[in-house]
Amino acid sequence: MKRSLWIGILVLVLGGYAGVQQYSSWSLSKPQDNTVTQSSEGGVRGSGGGGQGRGGAEGRSGGRSREAVPVLVATAAQKSVPAQIRAVGNAEPFATVSIKSQVTGVLTKAHFKEGQDVKLGQLLFTVDPRPLEAAVKQAEANLARDNAQLKNMREQVKRYAELVEKQYVSREQYDQIRTNADAMEAVVDAGKAALDNAKVQLSYCYIYSPVNGRVGSLLVNEGNLVRVNDGTPLVVINQVSPMNVTFSVPESHLAELKRRMAGGQLKVSASFPADEGRPELGSLEFVDNAVDRSTGTIKLKAVFTNNERRLWPGQFINVALTLTTQVEAVVVPSEAVQVGQEGQHVFVVKPDKTVEVRPVTLGSTNEGEAVIAKGLQPASKSSGRGNFCWAPARASKSRIRLISRTKPKTKAAGNGRVLGSPRLQDRRTT
């Protein structure tokens, strides 16, 4: 009896669970009958409202088109623009000197601190001079001995000259005495040279700076034994004022570069990513005698005074080589120039506040400004950032309206270029 009861309860539980699963599956697959009948002010209502449905869609799209789209407008200006070749250069010391010892001895003293600026002729190192001082004294003693012997031989020559005239001695003896005296004069000259050499070797114990520059880290500490022309220098001095900047340009600029150099010295500016507003000014001083075959570039070198020490050896720098200056060029912001299927173009704001797509021929670019070689006149208003997504067909049917006006910030350079731009709204015309 109990067994039958438990079996019946199990059957009821399983049947209830299956029913719940069936109901859930049916409710999920049930079609939504009210999808077509829903409407929101001009939407589709039933099967007979197709025209109203299209009208609602157009209303919603029209609402989206009436949303404010901020754009920037800049006025095409006419100004003098430099024609420049830009490259990335590397700063190099004007001179690099590796200080090495010319004598063998113990390094007794370094007379500077690491990273210190040194002057020409400033004492840098002292090598133990005692052995060479002794060598100088020895050379002086040898020279004094030879001078005494030479003096005695000269006196003998005088005496034998009188004796040979009186025929007290033979001519052969006189010639021998005179030859010995001449030989002793040569010995004295050799002694003088040996003394000079000893003094020079002694002077090498005191190492002086050969240039004005900045020392690096001390590579050999005091107390170490240094040898003549050892492989490791004692210290390296870099002359950082003036400073060289080397850079490479494509070989296609070589002909124009040579033509411009024939007319005078070319100016070069060096700027830094962290301080673009204060470029260093220098001049082009060197053009390599051959083009690098592996890269197709030619190496150039400019010299900068670097009085403020802003250029540092090994630093990478943005270099601009000015070839000439283009007078009365039409310029617009670089971001206003767009590229489409028909080439480069700008969006021009006409007097009736409509937008026109105008093809242009782009010249050079310089510091965020593009030179328009053809297609745009000065004082033309071109729209910039904010309308890049406009297609030419839509832009020709678009109308802009000023919704807020801000006082433009003008640059005190007399070029008439407006830096501050108003916000505009795109509105469809009917």
Side-chain angles (χ1 to χ4, degrees):
M1 182 66 181
K2 292 183 179 181
R3 182 177 181 181
S4 300
L5 179 61
W6 283 108
I7 292 175
I9 292 173
L10 180 60
V11 170
L12 289 176
V13 171
L14 294 176
Y17 178 76
V20 172
Q21 293 294 328
Q22 184 67 24
Y23 178 78
S24 300
S25 176
W26 173 79
S27 62
L28 291 176
S29 61
K30 183 180 178 180
Q32 302 293 332
D33 297 334
N34 58 348
T35 302
V36 181
T37 61
Q38 292 180 351
S39 174
S40 175
E41 296 181 5
V44 178
R45 185 179 299 273
S47 59
Q52 295 180 358
R54 289 190 297 271
E58 292 180 358
R60 288 191 295 271
S61 64
R64 287 193 299 267
S65 66
R66 287 195 295 271
E67 295 178 357
V69 178
V71 297
L72 299 178
V73 173
T75 303
Q78 196 170 23
K79 57 187 293 188
S80 297
V81 179
Q84 296 178 329
I85 301 176
R86 295 184 174 271
V88 177
N90 184 254
E92 298 178 352
F94 190 79
T96 300
V97 181
S98 297
I99 303 298
K100 296 183 179 181
S101 177
Q102 293 180 278
V103 293
T104 299
V106 177
L107 185 64
T108 58
K109 183 66 175 177
H111 302 273
F112 63 90
K113 294 182 179 179
E114 293 180 323
Q116 176 185 339
D117 290 332
V118 295
K119 301 295 184 180
L120 175 65
Q122 180 177 338
L123 181 62
L124 299 178
F125 297 99
T126 299
V127 181
D128 187 7
R130 291 175 297 177
L132 295 176
E133 288 176 350
V136 170
K137 293 179 179 180
Q138 182 179 2
E140 290 176 347
N142 293 335
L143 180 60
R145 180 197 61 195
D146 295 337
N147 281 327
Q149 293 179 356
L150 176 61
K151 183 178 180 181
N152 180 52
M153 288 186 176
R154 286 176 176 172
E155 293 296 332
Q156 288 184 357
V157 169
K158 291 180 180 179
R159 289 195 296 268
Y160 272 81
E162 295 177 358
L163 294 176
V164 75
E165 290 179 359
K166 296 179 181 179
Q167 297 182 356
Y168 292 155
V169 295
S170 64
R171 174 66 62 176
E172 181 180 0
Q173 290 178 338
Y174 171 75
D175 292 340
Q176 183 65 40
I177 294 298
R178 190 175 62 180
T179 301
N180 293 339
D182 294 338
M184 185 54 63
E185 289 184 359
V187 171
V188 170
D189 292 338
K192 292 179 180 179
L195 178 60
D196 292 339
N197 181 63
K199 290 180 179 180
V200 170
Q201 295 296 319
L202 178 61
S203 68
Y204 290 158
C205 293
Y206 305 94
I207 303 175
Y208 299 90
S209 174
V211 294
N212 295 323
R214 191 179 183 91
V215 298
S217 59
L218 185 61
L219 302 179
V220 180
N221 295 320
E222 297 175 358
N224 286 281
L225 179 66
V226 294
R227 294 179 175 84
V228 178
N229 294 326
D230 199 359
T232 302
L234 305 179
V235 75
V236 177
I237 302 177
N238 287 332
Q239 187 175 358
V240 296
S241 181
M243 176 75 77
N244 292 331
V245 174
T246 59
F247 58 99
S248 298
V249 299
E251 60 178 326
S252 57
H253 297 294
L254 181 58
E256 184 179 6
L257 186 63
K258 293 168 61 178
R259 184 171 65 253
R260 299 295 181 183
M261 290 183 65
Q265 197 172 45
L266 300 182
K267 300 299 181 182
V268 182
S269 63
S271 58
F272 315 90
D275 192 7
E276 290 285 351
R278 297 177 55 207
E280 287 284 328
L281 301 180
S283 59
L284 185 65
E285 299 291 343
F286 168 76
V287 179
D288 203 356
N289 58 359
V291 175
D292 190 344
R293 296 182 180 180
S294 60
T295 61
T297 59
I298 187 166
K299 182 180 178 181
L300 308 179
K301 183 182 294 184
V303 178
F304 297 81
T305 56
N306 198 31
N307 292 328
E308 298 182 5
R309 304 290 180 89
R310 297 177 63 207
L311 301 178
W312 210 248
Q315 186 178 19
F316 288 97
I317 301 169
N318 298 322
V319 179
L321 172 62
T322 302
L323 299 177
T324 184
T325 301
Q326 186 176 353
V327 183
E328 297 183 353
V330 179
V331 297
V332 297
S334 300
E335 58 186 0
V337 181
Q338 304 295 300
V339 179
Q341 296 180 353
E342 297 181 357
Q344 296 171 331
H345 63 271
V346 295
F347 296 106
V348 179
V349 180
K350 296 191 294 186
D352 59 352
K353 298 296 182 65
T354 59
V355 179
E356 175 190 14
V357 179
R358 185 173 300 177
V360 294
T361 301
L362 184 64
S364 60
T365 58
N366 180 46
E367 297 181 353
E369 293 181 337
V371 177
I372 304 300
K374 183 179 180 182
L376 199 62
Q377 297 298 325
S380 299
K381 291 184 178 180
S382 59
S383 57
R385 185 171 62 247
N387 63 342
F388 295 161
C389 58
W390 289 0
R394 180 183 174 187
S396 62
K397 299 177 183 179
S398 299
R399 189 178 183 86
I400 59 174
R401 182 170 62 88
L402 183 66
I403 62 175
S404 66
R405 184 184 301 273
T406 58
K407 185 178 181 181
K409 300 178 181 178
T410 57
K411 189 176 181 181
N415 53 16
R417 174 171 175 250
V418 179
L419 300 181
S421 303
R423 299 180 62 194
L424 303 177
Q425 179 184 14
D426 173 27
R427 182 168 61 84
R428 301 284 294 177
T429 58
T430 57

